[in-house]
Amino acid sequence: MKTRVIHWFKFASPQNFYFLAGRLWPWFAALAAVLTMAGLWISFFVAPTDAQQGEGYRIIFVHVPASQMSMFIYLIMATWAGLGLAFNTRLSGMMASALAPTGAMFAFLSLVTGALWGKPMWGAWWVWDARLTSELILLFLYLGFLALQSSIDDPRRADKACAVLALVGVVNVPIIYFSVKWWNTLHQGASVSMTGAPSMAKTMLWGMLIMVVAFWMYAIAVALARVRNIILERERHTEWVKHAVE
């Protein structure tokens, strides 16, 4: 058991993780492509028309997974940032930096698809609903993280400053999730719950779940590919990077 722990611990080194990420990310990218095609096919061509919302409801097959990913990625990013702040590990800050752009993209996609869904359902592109507003704040947190990262020349100092921002912003994630329960909002509640039966047809549910997994695979693939570039940039003066590039 101890040998296995030591074996995995070696990947905390940027050099070892660089080569591990290089082997893994193509597999996650391939899974993301296959699952996305399958999920979109089920969602837009197999799932039945909703009795109340008609065909317009199909935006949820992109909107819901994007919204979930925007929150989960922030939690993972903050975890990596916190580990780097606590243990002063180089790879932790690199992983947090690699996750931030993807999280920002999903937050933006969540807001855009939410607007496309909200216009026919609510009659407006945007309302200052509790969940929409807190999701917008999440996007600003991602953008603030990226701006702070790029504004500090020393990467290690930038990692520490961004870690503080990420950890402070974590409080917004439960606000997004529980906003429909804490306040009277226009946004509908969760269609899928861990404690109750799903309030949608099985075909709709399968389409939703496949898209969620596809977005997870995409996020992992992109983060692994991006962290390799970050490692090369930060470790460019080391001998192993020079050999790897050659």
Side-chain angles (χ1 to χ4, degrees):
M1 183 65 180
K2 184 177 180 180
T3 304
R4 291 181 181 179
V5 173
I6 294 174
H7 174 75
W8 285 107
F9 187 73
K10 73 177 185 179
F11 292 114
S13 164
Q15 177 180 354
N16 293 330
F17 192 81
Y18 173 84
F19 294 105
L20 176 65
R23 292 194 296 268
L24 293 179
W25 81 262
W27 292 98
F28 285 106
L31 284 172
V34 172
L35 289 171
T36 299
M37 289 188 291
L40 289 176
W41 173 258
I42 294 173
S43 302
F44 289 94
F45 298 103
V46 179
T49 302
D50 186 79
Q52 295 180 333
Q53 302 183 43
E55 299 293 346
Y57 90 98
R58 297 184 190 276
I59 197 71
I60 69 171
F61 294 111
V62 175
H63 173 72
V64 173
S67 301
Q68 291 181 358
M69 289 306 302
S70 69
M71 292 185 285
F72 285 139
I73 289 177
Y74 193 92
L75 291 176
I76 297 171
M77 182 188 77
T79 300
W80 276 112
L83 289 173
L85 193 63
F87 300 105
N88 199 30
T89 53
R90 292 178 296 159
L91 181 62
S92 298
M94 296 178 190
M95 282 301 302
S97 299
L99 287 164
T102 306
M105 182 202 71
F106 278 123
F108 179 76
L109 183 60
S110 170
L111 292 169
V112 170
T113 54
L116 293 174
W117 188 17
K119 178 60 176 177
M121 298 303 120
W122 302 337
W125 297 104
W126 177 267
V127 293
W128 291 102
D129 178 88
R131 175 161 286 184
L132 274 65
T133 304
S134 53
E135 182 71 18
L136 180 61
I137 292 173
L138 182 65
L139 175 60
F140 289 154
L141 286 170
Y142 277 121
L143 296 179
F145 184 100
L146 293 170
L148 185 60
Q149 185 81 45
S150 62
S151 65
I152 301 176
D153 293 332
D154 183 3
R156 300 306 298 276
R157 287 181 54 241
D159 287 344
K160 292 179 180 179
C162 289
V164 174
L165 174 62
L167 292 173
V168 171
V170 165
V171 69
N172 187 55
V173 175
I175 292 176
I176 298 173
Y177 184 79
F178 292 108
S179 58
V180 294
K181 297 181 180 179
W182 291 345
W183 297 288
N184 183 22
T185 69
L186 286 174
H187 200 287
Q188 72 180 57
S191 299
V192 181
S193 173
M194 297 294 291
T195 57
S199 59
M200 59 172 61
K202 287 185 178 180
T203 311
M204 297 179 183
L205 179 61
W206 273 109
M208 180 84 70
L209 293 178
I210 291 174
M211 288 300 295
V212 168
V213 177
F215 279 24
W216 267 108
M217 296 301 100
Y218 169 82
I220 295 172
V222 171
L224 290 175
R226 187 179 291 118
V227 78
R228 280 168 54 85
N229 293 328
I230 295 174
I231 291 173
L232 288 179
E233 173 64 24
R234 295 195 184 185
E235 304 282 304
R236 62 186 180 277
H237 300 300
T238 61
E239 288 297 324
W240 76 265
V241 168
K242 295 177 183 178
H243 290 302
V245 173
E246 290 174 359

